[in-house]
Amino acid sequence: MSNSASPSASVSLSAPTDIPAALDRAGIDYVGVHDQRLLAIYHTGIFNVVTDPEPVSNAHTLQIECWEVPLPSRDDERSPQELLEDFAAVFDEVNQS
């Protein structure tokens, strides 16, 4: 599924964050894989989120990788990297509120 050309990002959070709760508040669907990993669906793209060694319920850092590029849309001309950055920004917004 993943390849070396897939967009990825590291995100440092200013406070411990419950990642599933943050995604719920943002209206983003996800599936828990295990204590340190989940898959999120954002604008039809699939993003792998890893919080190792911390659990997703109390994470300080995230590794996010775009596993499946979002389907093209006539209304949205953002690149996969821009969508990844938009997805990562969800966690910044949670920490600021």
Side-chain angles (χ1 to χ4, degrees):
M1 280 179 101
S2 169
N3 67 49
S4 60
S6 297
S8 62
S10 294
V11 177
S12 294
L13 305 170
S14 59
T17 302
D18 183 336
I19 302 306
L23 294 173
D24 284 339
R25 284 191 297 274
I28 298 173
D29 292 328
Y30 65 91
V31 175
V33 177
H34 58 69
D35 287 347
Q36 290 99 14
R37 181 173 166 221
L38 57 82
L39 298 174
I41 301 167
Y42 182 72
H43 290 274
T44 73
I46 300 173
F47 294 88
N48 182 44
V49 180
V50 178
T51 60
D52 191 35
E54 300 142 343
V56 294
S57 61
N58 190 31
H60 292 296
T61 59
L62 308 172
Q63 295 294 323
I64 303 170
E65 181 181 11
C66 181
W67 268 17
E68 189 71 34
V69 177
L71 297 172
S73 168
R74 289 177 287 154
D75 299 333
D76 192 352
E77 304 218 3
R78 293 177 287 176
S79 71
Q81 183 64 42
E82 289 171 315
L83 284 168
L84 175 98
E85 291 166 5
D86 289 349
F87 175 70
V90 166
F91 304 105
D92 290 335
E93 293 167 10
V94 167
N95 280 325
Q96 293 175 3
S97 52

